[in-house]
Amino acid sequence: MVLDQRTKKYLKIFALIAFVFILAGCTNNMNADGTLKASRAITEETKWTLSAGIFDFFLVIPIAKGILFINNLTGNILFGVVGLTIVINIILLPIMIKSTVSSQKMQMLQPEMEKIQNKYKGKKDQTSQLRMQQEIQALYKKNDVSMLGSFSMLLTLPIMLAMWQSVQRVKVLYESTTFGLSLGLTPMSQIQKGHWEYLIIIVIMALSQFLAIEINNMMLKRDKNYHPSKTQNSMKSMNIMMTAMIIFFGMTMPTAMSFYWITTNIITVIRTVYIHIHYIEKEQAKKDENVIR
């Protein structure tokens, strides 16, 4: 992938912002036995102050308080987790639309990108590299692809990490039961005791995770002119590995996290389908009509 200097500059800024927040939010919340550390627990009495840290003050504590607020309204902490996950995804929807549209367009252009790159394969001189960059930029411009749109998703990473942290740190969650499942216990510990109902939630989480990863490719295949590139084909094994990693996390973290991932995955699938149909396909249909005229 070839980037112009301005795009590289903004990408560095985005990456730096995300990296700083991610480092701030990577504190371990759990004891070795899988219980929540008392010092990391968030309750209604937890003070919302800067002394908690920048990441906690701006993101984690507000989200956790939101989960507790919905819990007080509904009497079910799981509704708080699911509800806040939905609310946050709605807030982030404009950024996600821009990012998803750019990413999907770029994936559809991968075969043409590879043709340009193969044209200059082995040519390392500055003139050839400049020509290759110019042809790629012309391809992006012709198809109205914004590189910055693809990287705007970096801005959502701190928020999603904060949601992940908040779910882990709400103390009442570890004392709650939903659908006969203890939300604070890990599925692995319960499956080992013969409570196979926990395996069901892991299977649902795994299926939803795989679908959330693959839905983009499934929607791209709706285009009759779409042909997968070598890069996209090589991503299949990575997607399987990512799903396996999420399954491991789901097995070894509180059961509430599985419900969080399922909710996030369902939202991802719905959002991707909506964006592809209402943005990508509609725009492509307009282009086709203009060509016919």
Side-chain angles (χ1 to χ4, degrees):
M1 184 182 299
V2 180
L3 309 178
D4 57 34
Q5 293 302 315
R6 188 180 68 169
T7 301
K8 289 180 180 179
K9 178 182 177 181
Y10 282 115
L11 178 57
K12 288 178 180 178
I13 294 173
F14 288 168
L16 179 61
I17 293 171
F19 183 67
V20 169
F21 273 95
I22 287 172
L23 282 181
C26 283
T27 306
N28 184 23
N29 303 312
M30 314 302 292
N31 294 310
D33 60 357
T35 58
L36 177 65
K37 290 181 178 178
S39 61
R40 301 291 292 167
I42 297 177
T43 66
E44 292 181 355
E45 289 73 37
T46 299
K47 293 182 179 179
W48 187 2
T49 64
L50 271 173
S51 61
I54 295 177
F55 188 76
D56 283 7
F57 177 76
F58 284 106
L59 295 174
V60 178
I61 294 178
I63 292 173
K65 294 286 188 181
I67 292 173
L68 291 170
F69 176 74
I70 296 176
N71 175 54
N72 290 335
L73 290 178
T74 63
N76 192 317
I77 190 64
L78 185 59
F79 289 164
V81 173
V82 173
L84 246 294
T85 303
I86 293 172
V87 169
I88 288 175
N89 275 273
I90 290 174
I91 293 173
L92 295 177
L93 186 59
I95 296 176
M96 300 303 291
I97 288 174
K98 185 176 182 180
S99 179
T100 304
V101 168
S102 293
S103 296
Q104 289 185 328
K105 282 184 177 180
M106 287 184 67
Q107 287 192 53
M108 294 177 73
L109 291 176
Q110 278 299 312
E112 293 183 60
M113 281 273 293
E114 289 180 356
K115 288 181 181 178
I116 295 174
Q117 291 169 341
N118 289 333
K119 178 180 175 181
Y120 293 93
K121 188 175 182 180
K123 299 178 180 180
K124 302 297 183 181
D125 60 282
Q126 187 174 359
T127 302
S128 296
Q129 290 297 305
L130 180 60
R131 287 177 180 173
M132 182 178 72
Q133 185 177 39
Q134 290 174 339
E135 288 190 34
I136 291 174
Q137 293 302 321
L139 179 65
Y140 288 157
K141 186 175 181 180
K142 177 183 176 182
N143 291 274
D144 193 27
V145 173
S146 170
M147 291 295 296
L148 290 179
S150 300
F151 299 122
S152 60
M153 194 177 296
L154 281 172
L155 295 177
T156 70
L157 292 180
I159 300 174
M160 301 310 292
L161 176 62
M163 181 67 197
W164 183 64
Q165 284 272 318
S166 299
V167 172
Q168 290 185 59
R169 294 175 59 184
V170 174
K171 184 178 180 180
V172 68
L173 180 148
Y174 292 83
E175 303 160 359
S176 303
T177 300
T178 300
F179 304 130
L181 304 174
S182 296
L183 300 180
L185 300 177
T186 65
M188 181 176 290
S189 67
Q190 297 308 295
I191 292 172
Q192 290 174 340
K193 295 178 181 179
H195 299 301
W196 299 106
E197 60 271 22
Y198 286 84
L199 182 60
I200 296 174
I201 198 68
I202 292 297
V203 171
I204 295 174
M205 185 195 73
L207 292 175
S208 67
Q209 177 66 38
F210 187 76
L211 181 59
I213 293 174
E214 283 295 315
I215 188 63
N216 191 48
N217 290 331
M218 293 168 64
M219 295 305 296
L220 287 172
K221 289 177 182 178
R222 286 164 56 93
D223 186 345
K224 60 183 179 181
N225 297 319
Y226 170 72
H227 299 287
S229 64
K230 294 178 181 178
T231 302
Q232 289 163 315
N233 287 331
S234 65
M235 287 291 290
K236 291 181 179 179
S237 58
M238 186 178 295
N239 291 343
I240 294 174
M241 288 179 62
M242 185 179 296
T243 301
M245 182 178 67
I246 295 298
I247 292 173
F248 173 76
F249 287 153
M251 290 285 286
T252 56
M253 298 186 75
T255 301
M257 291 303 297
S258 296
F259 284 100
Y260 162 68
W261 268 310
I262 290 170
T263 304
T264 300
N265 293 336
I266 292 173
I267 291 172
T268 299
V269 171
I270 294 173
R271 182 181 63 229
T272 303
V273 172
Y274 170 78
I275 291 173
H276 195 94
I277 293 175
H278 289 273
Y279 289 87
I280 303 293
E281 292 186 1
K282 279 189 176 181
E283 184 176 327
Q284 187 60 46
K286 288 180 181 180
K287 287 183 178 180
D288 293 341
E289 287 181 6
N290 292 333
V291 171
I292 294 174
R293 291 175 183 175

